[in-house]
Amino acid sequence: MKRADGRSAGELRPITIKAGVIPNANGSAMVAMGKTIAVAAVYGPRYLHPRFKQKYEKALLNTVYMMVPFSTSERVRPGPSRRSHEICKVTREALENVVCLEEYPKAVIDVYINIIQANAGTRTAGINAASVALADAGISMKDLVASAAAGKIGDEYVLDLAGKEEEETDCDVPVAYVPGQDKISLLQMDGKLPPEDVEKVIRTAIEGCKQIYEKQKEALRERWVQK
Amino acid sequence: MADLLKNEKDFVVPGEKVVESMDYIPGRNCFRDGNAIKSKKIGIVSVANRVISIIPLNGTYAPKVGDMILGEVIDIQSNGWIVDIGIAHSAYLPLSGIREFIDTTRTQLSSVYNIGDLMYSKVSNLNGPDSIHLSMDDVRCRKLRGGRVLEINAAKVPRLIGREGSMIRMIKDKTRCSICVGQNGIIWMDGENQDVALEAMHEIERFPQQDGLTDKISAMLDSRVKPGQAQASITNSTASKSIDSEAGS
């Protein structure tokens, strides 16, 4: 089967990852998955104010997901929304599992994710960017997190839904995967799917995550190893 | 012994396996996962005997006992000072950490060190990452007056100091500027040719891994420092002598 943009079912969109794009941040990364572009900036670990938010035994991971107003054809109203609130939460939970928060008690690590162009799969692009940015900032982590979505169009399991495919598919399953531990740190589903297909869709997404993981490592190496 | 998957001086990212064997022990910035030793940070692999550690390429300063660091007094308590050292946690300089005896019934602590004073002090004790104790019990420790302060990335301080202090000594000698380098990336300087020294330090921060960095900086200093200038004032030259010994750290 050929898809709208000419890809095969198990193929990712062309992906570009660049680390260290924001000089003022401690760590940063840009991830472009097809026409979706996410930029993540990491600040910290730094002093957490107000003090009542400090946790005695570990750091607070503060993730802020935002779509900039010009990211879609319809203007996005700036400021937090129900949707962005949810994505902040799932992003934080996907990353909390790998960041060694207990090494930075009472501090905060701020992760700002900006979607500057949206064409489906913004939360997965955001997690990919945030993970590279955290590593780029020199923060202790057990592993990187890679993330991709999968779905089912007709009889085919398709990887990395783009644009209109999100409407055509029966379901949209974003997955964040920790390759070193072979564990899933984010799993959501939008739509309907027969139980016997669930595992196959997740496996499709994980295959994509593994490819992205290689690109993430490559991006960090490119930034830090001199030629 | 099992073979290393990554050689010494290889670049690793978080989660990358360095070795899959119980023959080695995880040191700084790495951890054991099953049989494997994995990196926790982006950095360079270093192997000393059987201990594997990662030298980080970026990140905020992580205090070590014995480090000389620069900080600013931000608060005074009944028996010590709170010092901001440019990281998430502030450090504590207790009365017992300073050399002279102070009778707290007669002397105000603010007359010894006041809020806003810049301190060059040593990390004397660590109780976890959020309890950092300082002391002035070292010949290099002192309160810094005047001058100017700059901050660089703490991961690049070892490059700025150089092997056995070679790089920083060269900058001090050639610019005749007195410089104090804190392991936390805060640097104080005073005296002649400050702008040249500043530029050299920024160059080192920007290209720390460059080949022939020392020669390049040396050439830059030679061309920029005006020859035949008056000798540094007596206070400056004594100051630079007393802190030359910091270089080896």
Side-chain angles (χ1 to χ4, degrees), chain A residues 26 103 105 136 141-142 226, chain B residues 15 40-42 58 89 209:
Chain A
N26 294 103
E103 287 186 22
D136 183 48
M141 297 163 86
K142 293 190 200 92
Q226 59 168 352
Chain B
K40 266 187 181 179
K41 286 187 180 174
I42 45 160
N58 196 9
H89 310 289
Q209 307 295 333

Side-chain angles (χ1 to χ4, degrees), chain B residues 32 36-37 69 174 187 208 213 234:
Chain B
R32 185 171 288 289
I37 292 175
I69 58 178
K174 294 202 169 177
I187 296 157
L213 183 66
I234 295 161

